[in-house]
Amino acid sequence: MLNKYWKQFLSGSDIRGIATDSVKGEEINLTNEVVQKIIYGFARWLYEKTALPYSSMIVSVGHDSRVSAFRMKTVIINTLRSLGIKVYDCSLASTPAMSMSISTLSCTAAVQITASHHPSNRNGIKFFTVDGGLSNLNIREILEICQKNIPMDIPNSKGEVKPINIMYYYCNKLVKFICNELDCNEDSKPLKGLKIVVDAGNGAGGFFAKEILQKLGADTQGSLFLNPDGNFPNHIPNPEDEKAMQSIIKATVDSKADLGIIFDTDVDRVGFVDSEGLKINNNRLIALVSCIVLKKYPGSMIVTDSVTSDKLEEFISFLGGNQFRFKRGYNNIISAARKFNDSGVDCYLAIETSGHAAFKNNNFVDDGAYLACLIITELVNLKKRGKVISNLLESFIDSKEKAELRIKVKGNKPEELSAKILSKLKSYYQTLKNCEFIENNLEGVRLKFNSRWQEGWCLLRKSVHDPILVLNVESYVRGGVRSIVDTLKPFFSLFEFIDLKDLDI
């Protein structure tokens, strides 16, 4: 079992920590020594899984735009080389590109230095093998190796390091995908006549405007923050952040663009804005992508995370598809999608409300740029018929209000206390009027509220990353979210280790 020290670096299926001292009161814990130990742990774990000697391994290493990336990359490459492992230095790259590097460059594994949308003083590591991204269990295994502190056998000869431009291969793949979908060649400029703006938030996604859109003829004037800057001086690169979304909304409307695209830092998540300036993220994004997928693959299973709305389930059913609502965490939904296909159930899409999306046709790589390309090809086909993206969502009912409340659980054993609260809620709901307990739910406790002033739902669950409870609430009537939360406050007041101030909205 992981001790408290090593457990601090466990974040879902990633390693995350503090990498710079730029925020007062937050000391660096991803020191060079810690990073070295984590990479030693990963190398030993990789050896145990593959039985390959280190001298036969090839590992690609890339990073997003964070200011701590070069320091961490240097440590990671030197550590791998010290074991005799050959390293491909991919420098600035998207996470999907690093995942693709395994097949493209015949690598044993890939390492991406990123902390997604987290603040600029933080960083982390994602690992990939031929089986895809590592799971939470895999990361635990690596950290347990670190915890044991087993001495490594250091050979006399170092591994070779070779610079590789993995983004060249990745961009070519995306260009070919668009051309194949539109049955054309690159020289025909299939995106000519489209105006598309991109907000990369100074992350790793600036390539998309020049190397994909402009190359295929699109007008990208009005695009924002394409240059990498790990201080993120304009806004956090995050399609779920309201300031970031307002940035791309304004750019889309001001440019009179057909579509706005916003990426997170490492380009595995994405959000959109239509020509009217309406957001296409969260449930609306899943609804849109489901339209496209179910048109091509009728009856397909759509795997989503747990915080999708009940109206989305109805919409997918209306389209002829089936929704499987699973646990949060992109690795969780991808694993579920793979299992469906292995069991003979067609499943072409695994997608989270956060903007993570993986497609069977793309080997279930979590890839925001691939999703953007898919939606752009749909936009081209719609425009030929005089339609726009929003036409696909005309019958979808989105919530009027939503909130996500993070509830701290005080005490030495927050996980046990959280489990106690969830267990109690399963019976407490019976005391509430016009409230249903949703049985078919695989994460937390989900309740549906049916009164005229509360129509909506809530989900109380454990956080994927932190020792807290998360309460997601959506309502289809104005004032419904506050009403639902107020209805639940007497329940939370039963527990002295809960601060009711966390429920203020």
Side-chain angles (χ1 to χ4, degrees), residues 351-362:
I351 184 167
E352 274 199 309
T353 48
S354 63
H356 285 289
F359 297 83
K360 182 180 180 181
N361 292 2
N362 194 34

Side-chain angles (χ1 to χ4, degrees), residues 281-400:
N281 59 1
N282 304 123
N283 288 307
R284 279 172 59 81
L285 177 58
I286 299 176
L288 173 61
V289 184
S290 297
C291 284
I292 298 170
V293 168
L294 291 170
K295 184 170 61 174
K296 291 186 175 184
Y297 308 104
S300 173
M301 179 68 72
I302 308 291
V303 177
T304 73
D305 60 348
S306 60
V307 298
T308 54
S309 70
D310 44 10
K311 298 297 184 184
L312 176 65
E313 186 176 13
E314 293 173 12
F315 184 71
I316 290 174
S317 179
F318 171 75
L319 294 173
N322 299 286
Q323 181 188 4
F324 181 72
R325 194 186 285 130
F326 198 50
K327 302 173 186 176
R328 287 213 87 179
Y330 63 91
N331 231 305
N332 291 328
I333 62 169
I334 289 172
S335 295
R338 289 185 186 277
K339 287 178 181 177
F340 273 117
N341 285 294
D342 290 343
S343 67
V345 176
D346 285 335
C347 178
Y348 286 86
L349 172 63
I351 184 167
E352 274 199 309
T353 48
S354 63
H356 285 289
F359 297 83
K360 182 180 180 181
N361 292 2
N362 194 34
N363 198 31
F364 283 115
V365 173
D366 183 30
D367 192 339
Y370 182 92
L371 172 54
C373 289
L374 180 69
I375 288 179
I376 287 166
T377 60
E378 184 67 20
L379 175 62
V380 171
N381 290 326
L382 285 167
K383 197 163 186 179
K384 290 176 182 176
R385 305 198 306 270
K387 296 186 176 183
V388 293
I389 283 289
S390 56
N391 291 140
L392 298 180
L393 297 172
E394 288 174 342
S395 61
F396 174 65
I397 301 172
D398 201 6
S399 60
K400 285 186 167 60

Side-chain angles (χ1 to χ4, degrees), residues 231-277:
N231 292 303
F232 309 138
N234 297 291
H235 61 71
I236 296 172
N238 181 6
E240 289 189 292
D241 180 74
E242 188 57 31
K243 182 179 178 182
M245 287 306 299
Q246 289 304 318
S247 170
I248 187 61
I249 287 171
K250 185 176 187 304
T252 304
V253 173
D254 289 350
S255 301
K256 296 182 172 55
D258 298 289
L259 187 69
I261 302 173
I262 181 167
F263 292 112
D264 75 341
T265 319
D266 60 327
V267 201
D268 59 2
R269 291 193 299 127
V270 66
F272 302 89
V273 174
D274 70 14
S275 57
E276 299 298 315

Side-chain angles (χ1 to χ4, degrees), residues 412-423:
N412 294 326
K413 298 180 179 179
E415 290 189 9
E416 291 181 18
L417 296 175
S418 295
K420 180 181 178 181
I421 293 173
L422 291 169
S423 177

